[in-house]
Amino acid sequence: MHTATFPPAFFATGLGSMHVTDSLSAMRLLPAGSVHLVCTSPPFALGCPKPYGNPEESRYVEWFRPFAAEIARLLAPTGSFVLDVGAGWQKGRPCRSLYPYEVLLMCCRELGLHLAQELTWWNPATIASGYWTNHTKERLKDAAHHVWWLARSERPKADVARVRWPYRRHMRGLLRSGRQGRKSPSGHDNRFFRKDNGGAIPHNLIALAHEGGSSAYLRACREAGIAPHPARFPEALPRFFIRMLTDPGDLVLDPFAGSCTTGRAAERLDRRWLCLDREEDYLRGGVLRFQTQERTQPRRTRYEIFHPEAGIIHEKE
């Protein structure tokens, strides 16, 4: 980092710092190849703008391109770029916007990044909102975000063993029995899956509710008289990717930091971090994340996805 010209820290720890600044200008002061993970959620192209402002759908890719170019420049050779981007509707039409896919194609075709994998973040606490859902009843409830995992190389640093899930009861029973399975109807040799690897490999559907109204962050904001950031992702989301894609001491960047959720997650995992945002009030709330003790263990919540025909109970066959 060029400390002579880089904006002063608004808040800092031994591992990282927040800066009130234009993130595009600040990123241009950082050396190429210095960041191991960029994990961020920029403003979406929404029909109902947020207080921090949202680019219009028609110019979203043009707006985001310079940010993506700097991110690509900053990534280490084995670094990753995790981008959370919500879907939206075309203006005045019940048709989906294509901007999340246009952003993805721009990053890969123009900037040379690789799509390591696409993930879906399912938020089971999402409420039904929007004109085409609530008023006209023409479309389903939005409950999922695209999460694009991009990388500088085809083989970025990644270790899924760090984010294994506990085995289900059935699998634990099979491992205890020592029985060897046979080939499944699909042709898979089940014997390959009977080895105890300490846990199951996660799939690319992440079920995670957003930060609730009783979170330590929101309580601290209320007590301090600070308006909370209106669009926060839960800390467990960046924590998942930081564990999987970085090592202790690596540098994690969030150029749209908001309340610095990514920075707090990196701090807890002993990674260096850098959070940039132009809104000082949001970073004031972010400082509170480092001054309060938030729960880090997952709650005992059972998420349920219903069968598509679960509610059709009176229709005759």
Side-chain angles (χ1 to χ4, degrees):
M1 184 187 304
H2 302 292
T3 55
T5 56
F6 203 80
F10 179 75
F11 172 82
T13 70
L15 287 172
S17 56
M18 303 178 195
H19 301 261
V20 181
T21 182
D22 172 69
S23 60
L24 185 57
S25 300
M27 284 193 292
R28 287 170 176 161
L29 300 174
L30 299 173
S34 60
V35 177
H36 301 90
L37 171 64
V38 176
C39 185
T40 194
S41 181
F44 302 157
L46 302 177
C48 298
K50 298 288 185 180
Y52 47 76
N54 301 78
E56 294 181 2
E57 173 200 357
S58 61
R59 65 180 189 91
Y60 194 92
V61 173
E62 178 186 354
W63 170 79
F64 190 67
R65 182 180 285 108
F67 293 97
E70 280 304 306
I71 289 169
R73 183 186 69 85
L74 290 175
L75 285 181
T78 58
S80 290
F81 172 25
V82 174
L83 177 63
D84 165 44
V85 56
W89 300 100
Q90 295 179 21
K91 188 174 181 178
R93 304 168 63 193
C95 301
R96 293 303 260 181
S97 169
L98 299 179
Y99 87 91
Y101 308 100
E102 292 170 345
V103 165
L104 173 63
L105 292 174
M106 178 269 293
C107 287
C108 295
R109 292 179 175 173
E110 295 184 25
L111 302 179
L113 295 177
H114 301 274
L115 177 61
Q117 196 163 17
E118 70 280 12
L119 296 92
T120 298
W121 167 28
W122 171 53
N123 180 356
T126 298
I127 61 174
S129 62
Y131 183 79
W132 307 115
T133 301
N134 271 343
H135 292 78
T136 68
K137 304 294 190 295
E138 294 179 68
R139 297 295 182 265
L140 305 175
K141 179 173 71 172
D142 267 340
H145 283 194
H146 305 287
V147 181
W148 308 132
W149 169 18
L150 299 154
R152 274 282 303 273
S153 71
E154 296 178 1
R155 302 286 296 276
K157 180 193 297 187
D159 187 355
V160 297
R162 298 175 181 174
V163 290
R164 287 190 181 116
W165 289 343
Y167 287 127
R168 296 181 182 275
R169 183 173 61 181
H170 176 69
M171 183 64 183
R172 294 198 301 269
L174 289 175
L175 292 172
R176 285 194 300 268
S177 72
R179 296 195 302 270
Q180 295 297 317
R182 296 170 294 179
K183 282 191 175 182
S184 68
S186 62
H188 290 102
D189 189 345
N190 287 337
R191 290 173 296 178
F192 180 78
F193 301 102
R194 297 301 174 89
K195 180 182 178 181
D196 189 347
N197 293 303
I201 296 174
H203 48 61
N204 64 343
L205 172 64
I206 299 177
L208 186 62
H210 59 243
E211 192 173 52
S214 62
S215 71
Y217 164 74
L218 288 180
R219 291 197 304 271
C221 284
R222 286 194 292 267
E223 293 170 2
I226 295 174
H229 194 281
R232 309 170 307 279
F233 53 34
E235 188 179 318
L237 188 67
R239 201 160 55 226
F240 175 85
F241 292 105
I242 292 168
R243 279 198 180 101
M244 182 173 67
L245 303 176
T246 66
D247 296 315
D250 284 353
L251 178 59
V252 179
L253 167 67
D254 188 345
F256 300 96
S259 62
C260 206
T261 311
T262 299
R264 186 64 177 116
E267 178 88 11
R268 283 178 163 151
L269 294 173
D270 199 30
R271 272 67 166 174
R272 294 181 297 125
W273 57 271
L274 183 62
C275 282
L276 310 174
D277 202 284
R278 65 183 183 183
E279 298 293 339
E280 182 175 328
D281 285 347
Y282 293 151
L283 292 185
R284 288 187 186 278
V287 172
L288 299 178
R289 290 192 183 276
F290 292 80
Q291 299 173 345
T292 58
Q293 293 297 319
E294 185 65 273
R295 181 188 182 96
T296 57
Q297 293 299 318
R299 292 182 175 87
R300 292 176 176 266
T301 304
R302 182 177 180 179
Y303 297 134
E304 187 171 15
I305 299 178
F306 290 99
H307 187 279
E309 296 182 334
I312 305 175
I313 55 178
H314 301 298
E315 185 178 275
K316 293 182 179 180
E317 295 292 338

